[in-house]
Amino acid sequence: NNVKYYSVDNAGNTEQVLTLEPINLDQTRPGINIEGLESESYLDDETVTVNYTVSDNISGVNNSSVVALLDGQPIVNGTVIPLYKLSLGKHVLTVSTVDQAGNPASATRSFKTSTGISSLIQLVNLFQTNGSINNDGIAYSLLQKLKNNDLKSFINEVKAQTNKHISSEAASYLLRDAEYLLK
């Protein structure tokens, strides 16, 4: 919009017409683009990187208003998520913001995590590599049980080795997945 104006004084003198700089009215919501969660389903031995961009070409983004939540908890842009650390099932990432003109925007990405024998094998390998399983014989034994689809023996061995040769954190993930598969 252009605004033109002039004034007239009490003596009837009229000034020349002046023009204000164009006034842009921003009625457009900011844009939000979520990357790194392209699939609707992941195995829990995978990792994803949460990336999002927020843009507004008219009034600009109010950067202090940008909020990203994964399952209701704040998450920082660029965070790498080992999916075994999330519960099995549905998850929701929501990014919201407001532009400088007060227009709100929100984007949501839903995905689910699941497990399988292949995921458990990958997790045993990961936990052996990072030292959460600190005995190669135990790791080998667990892998053999998984390859034979012997989940009950796998569970019993994980329980027996928890806080001995398997960290309690690693054991909790392995037990969760194995018990889920038994159901």
Side-chain angles (χ1 to χ4, degrees):
N1 296 310
N2 290 319
V3 176
K4 295 184 181 211
Y5 65 95
Y6 65 93
S7 61
V8 179
D9 65 16
N10 287 337
N13 298 314
T14 303
E15 76 175 318
Q16 98 184 53
V17 175
L18 301 172
T19 303
L20 286 175
E21 292 295 317
I23 299 171
N24 294 317
L25 297 178
D26 182 356
Q27 297 178 340
T28 304
R29 296 176 187 266
I32 300 174
N33 184 37
I34 298 173
E35 298 174 357
L37 292 169
E38 282 75 28
S39 179
E40 293 180 11
S41 182
Y42 294 93
L43 290 173
D44 71 343
D45 63 279
E46 298 178 76
T47 60
V48 294
T49 303
V50 174
N51 286 308
Y52 54 87
T53 55
V54 180
S55 61
D56 187 275
N57 295 331
I58 300 174
S59 64
V61 174
N62 177 349
N63 289 324
S64 66
S65 74
V66 178
V67 175
L69 301 173
L70 177 60
D71 297 335
Q73 298 300 310
I75 186 163
V76 175
N77 197 10
T79 297
V80 177
I81 304 169
L83 294 177
Y84 70 85
K85 291 188 175 187
L86 298 179
S87 62
L88 297 173
K90 185 177 178 181
H91 302 280
V92 178
L93 173 70
T94 303
V95 180
S96 58
T97 191
V98 177
D99 67 13
Q100 297 291 350
N103 297 308
S106 181
T108 300
R109 186 74 50 92
S110 296
F111 64 97
K112 74 174 196 166
T113 57
S114 61
T115 192
I117 294 292
S118 65
S119 289
L120 275 168
I121 289 170
Q122 292 301 319
L123 290 176
V124 168
N125 288 326
L126 170 70
F127 295 147
Q128 182 182 15
T129 300
N130 73 16
S132 296
I133 298 176
N134 64 12
N135 182 294
D136 291 344
I138 299 296
Y140 178 79
S141 176
L142 292 172
L143 290 170
Q144 290 309 306
K145 288 173 176 55
L146 291 172
K147 289 176 184 174
N148 293 324
N149 205 24
D150 188 358
L151 289 172
K152 288 184 180 180
S153 294
F154 175 85
I155 289 170
N156 289 336
E157 186 168 0
V158 171
K159 286 179 179 178
Q161 295 301 325
T162 299
N163 291 322
K164 295 175 186 165
H165 294 291
I166 303 174
S167 74
S168 61
E169 181 181 14
S172 70
Y173 297 127
L174 295 172
L175 291 171
R176 175 199 65 194
D177 284 14
E179 289 167 353
Y180 175 86
L181 291 173
L182 276 178
K183 293 178 185 176

